Amino acid sequence: MRIGIVCYPTFGGSGIVATELGKALADKGHEVHIIAYRQPVRLNEQVNNVVFHEVRVADYPLFDYPPYELSLACKLLDVVKFEKLDLLHVHYAIPHAYVAYLAKQMLADEGIQIPVVTTLHGTDITLVGKNPSITPAVTFSINHSDVVTAVSESLKEETLSSFAIRKEIKVIPNFIDFSLHNFIFDKDLHAHFTSGKEKIIIHISNFRPVKRVSDVIRIFAKVRSKLPVKLLMVGDGPQREVAEYLCREMGYSDDVKFLGKIKDVSRLLAISDLFLLPSEKESFGLVALEAMAASIPVISTNIGGLARVNIDGKTGFTSAVGDLEKMANDAISLLSNDELYHSFSSNANQVAKEYDLPKVLPLYEEAYQEALGKLHKGRSNV
Ligand code: GMT
């Protein structure tokens, strides 16, 4: 199949899922074209059967807001036509599902039919999409996608309850491609962050308000008052400075390292002992899954799809949003009890294996077949 994948190229989970899906489809012999305004972070090496197409947004002094949607629609038109694509798969509804609809209409005008699969990831539904100024367009573009998928049951439910959706939504969970991760303990890297006495707690995110990075620092401070621990803060975003100031104010600058954006987090996960994810919203929590694949127990909130990934009392502990006391106490229990820690660590790895790529990839291929089937049915009805 010739598949066009549209995604955000940034450090967010939707771009990571889209890119790793593209690479996996290419490995299975499909021809994949990834379309984004920048090379996605995890598309960092040449992969056979994957071609990247950059969307260059037309600018002009008149535009306060350069029209990304228009440039993307024209890029889709071009790539579908000249690369003879069979299908478009867009990740994150806003504005990608809408743009795919526009491209589809433009192509239909030239006699080319292309089915569109839309994958809903999280804040496109739970936050941004709920803004009343864009809700009609989000609803419209979901209803006009040929096949719609959501990354968790919870996201599916929230989509159905928040928008007037007439479409069936298939749940296809996030996955982990174990072959892309090298969780090998690097002694020197470990020694770089600890004297050997301290355990390492890690947080990875794009530091947006929903991630509640200040909670990460406050939980760490509570744990630090009882145990020797260090904290690695990986990523960057609007709340980074707030978290840095908080650390300085609380006197933890020596114990907390802000490492910025790192493309391959596997080496850092491999030297860490505990993952913290106190998010306010998390439709799935891909990053928690990656930590679990590295056999790291997770302390997280119990919202959205996260509680299905990080299983309370098995792979880690979950709490209500903002319950910092409980999250800190749970972290202390785990880090101070070797037997408990090792059983959680092994459970985390076992549960992560349930999301192994070979189990999830066929679900996307089935979704593609369904979308293509609709197209052929539509044609035979003409
Ligand atoms: O930042 C992104 O690219 C998407 C981001 C979001 O905010 O929607 O992440 C979402 O998609 C991931 C991949 O499917 C999920 O694992 C994350 O849980 C989800 N984030 C939220 O729901 C906050």
Side-chain angles (χ1 to χ4, degrees), residues 207 213-214 217 233 236 239-250 252-253 256-260:
F207 287 53
V213 285
S214 300
I217 306 297
M233 296 288 283
D236 210 328
Q239 296 295 303
R240 174 169 171 175
E241 283 174 8
V242 175
E244 279 182 327
Y245 288 138
L246 187 62
C247 269
R248 288 173 205 159
E249 214 175 87
M250 296 175 94
Y252 287 117
S253 299
V256 183
K257 291 281 171 263
F258 285 84
L259 302 178

Side-chain angles (χ1 to χ4, degrees), residues 334-372:
L334 263 177
L335 292 176
S336 51
N337 178 337
D338 280 353
E339 202 182 324
L340 186 70
Y341 181 86
H342 289 302
S343 80
F344 274 47
S345 159
S346 137
N347 294 341
N349 183 263
Q350 284 307 313
V351 171
K353 285 186 178 141
E354 291 170 19
Y355 297 92
D356 196 4
L357 171 74
K359 294 187 176 130
V360 179
L361 190 59
L363 304 179
Y364 277 114
E365 288 177 299
E366 276 165 30
Y368 296 167
Q369 288 302 344
E370 186 184 328
L372 285 168

Side-chain angles (χ1 to χ4, degrees), residues 8 10-15 17 92 120-124 126 151 174 206 208 210-211 281-287:
Y8 282 107
T10 49
F11 279 79
S14 65
V17 169
Y92 205 88
L120 310 173
H121 278 274
T123 50
D124 43 353
T126 59
V151 298
N174 286 173
N206 42 24
R208 283 176 298 163
V210 284
K211 301 291 176 178
K281 291 180 188 294
E282 208 66 72
S283 67
F284 183 91
L286 177 64
V287 71

